[in-house]
Amino acid sequence: MSIQQAYNQWASSYDSDRNRTRDLDQQLMRELLQGQTYQSILELGCGTGKNTQFFSTLGAEVVALDFSAGMLAQARSKINAAHVHFQQADLTQAWPVASGHFDLVVTNLVLEHLADLDHFFAQASQAMSANGQLLVSELHPFRQYQGSQARFQGQDGIIQVPAFTHHISDFLLAAAKAGLQLRQLHEHWHNDDLNQPPRLLSLRWHK
Ligand SMILES: C[S@@+](CC[C@H](N)C(=O)[O-])C[C@H]1O[C@@H](n2cnc3c(N)ncnc32)[C@H](O)[C@@H]1O
């Protein structure tokens, strides 16, 4: 099953499944961004709009891209605001957004599904304004080394969504190649598994 097909199937239960990674990411966005304001936010792989609702309180304009029609339909059903624009787009292609426009580019739990980080960071850098920042929150590679990846209960059993392992150095090198300056790197644990390897990795770059 392709990544796109998998998310179209997962869309109806994504928000209600038990999923600590999803919940920790949602909490983390509030911790990292609460109180900030932005002119234009670009959200990549917005899914069901779990974070889009929050980003819409921070940004005068929010553009949210995803290639799954099913996930986008869930997001659109929740968020109906004139300053929030959802668009179906494949992040492995050229992104259909204005260059040099966004002061916050953000992505959550998406990069494990993209094989080519160089393309991602080059497109993100192009979309960022001169004072823009890029915030990435991603399943920690230590978890991937242990076999974790996006998965859900389908009609006939567990469906594992195709995923790629990116090491921390892969993120750092691809971002540096795109001319971005690393400002923050943090690791995050869910309260329920504090004795395990970190669940999320967050990274913030400036232009
Ligand atoms: C685990 S979900 C995360 C959704 C949301 N960001 C969140 O934190 O809940 C991953 C999302 O990435 C999207 N995605 C994966 N590969 C993509 C691609 N090549 N282009 C666009 N969206 C993609 C999927 O459709 C899905 O909605």
Side-chain angles (χ1 to χ4, degrees):
M1 186 181 294
S2 73
I3 297 167
Q4 195 174 27
Q5 288 166 336
Y7 276 105
N8 283 335
Q9 278 202 27
W10 194 357
S12 59
S13 62
Y14 181 86
D15 288 337
S16 54
D17 285 351
R18 182 168 170 275
N19 185 336
R20 291 188 182 119
T21 304
R22 175 202 62 207
D23 296 344
L24 180 61
D25 173 76
Q26 186 171 29
Q27 180 191 321
L28 177 63
M29 284 304 100
R30 279 149 185 79
E31 285 170 16
L32 293 181
L33 296 177
Q34 194 68 261
Q36 306 294 310
T37 56
Y38 299 96
Q39 279 302 311
S40 290
I41 298 177
L42 175 61
E43 184 187 7
L44 305 159
C46 62
T48 62
K50 177 196 84 191
N51 291 326
T52 317
Q53 180 77 58
F54 172 58
F55 297 149
S56 75
T57 67
L58 310 179
E61 174 197 34
V62 178
V63 175
L65 307 182
D66 202 289
F67 73 170
S68 161
M71 297 293 269
L72 280 173
Q74 295 288 330
R76 286 190 172 110
S77 74
K78 279 185 219 158
I79 303 153
N80 182 11
H83 70 298
V84 180
H85 309 282
F86 291 105
Q87 190 169 342
Q88 189 169 13
D90 184 345
L91 301 175
T92 67
Q93 308 295 313
W95 301 351
V97 297
S99 295
H101 183 67
F102 297 92
D103 50 353
L104 176 65
V105 176
V106 58
T107 192
N108 305 77
L109 311 178
V110 173
L111 300 190
E112 70 170 300
H113 301 307
L114 303 182
D116 183 358
L117 288 184
D118 286 350
H119 176 78
F120 175 87
F121 282 98
Q123 291 285 300
S125 177
Q126 192 176 312
M128 288 159 73
S129 61
N131 62 345
Q133 56 178 292
L134 168 64
L135 177 60
V136 167
S137 167
E138 191 59 26
L139 180 64
H140 201 295
F142 295 172
R143 291 276 177 162
Q144 293 186 301
Y145 304 157
Q146 295 183 309
S148 283
Q149 71 179 90
R151 71 184 65 164
F152 66 101
Q153 179 71 47
Q155 280 179 346
D156 302 318
I158 298 289
I159 295 175
Q160 304 223 14
V161 187
F164 307 91
T165 298
H166 300 302
H167 310 292
I168 294 178
S169 57
D170 294 335
F171 292 111
L172 301 183
L173 288 170
K177 215 193 259 189
L180 301 178
Q181 314 290 325
L182 183 68
R183 292 292 169 89
Q184 283 177 4
L185 184 160
H186 292 299
E187 295 167 315
H188 310 272
W189 285 259
H190 192 283
N191 279 339
D192 289 351
D193 50 27
L194 293 173
N195 57 344
Q196 301 285 319
R199 188 173 279 274
L200 291 180
L201 172 71
S202 74
L203 301 135
R204 201 193 295 241
W205 291 269
H206 286 210
K207 255 205 158 165

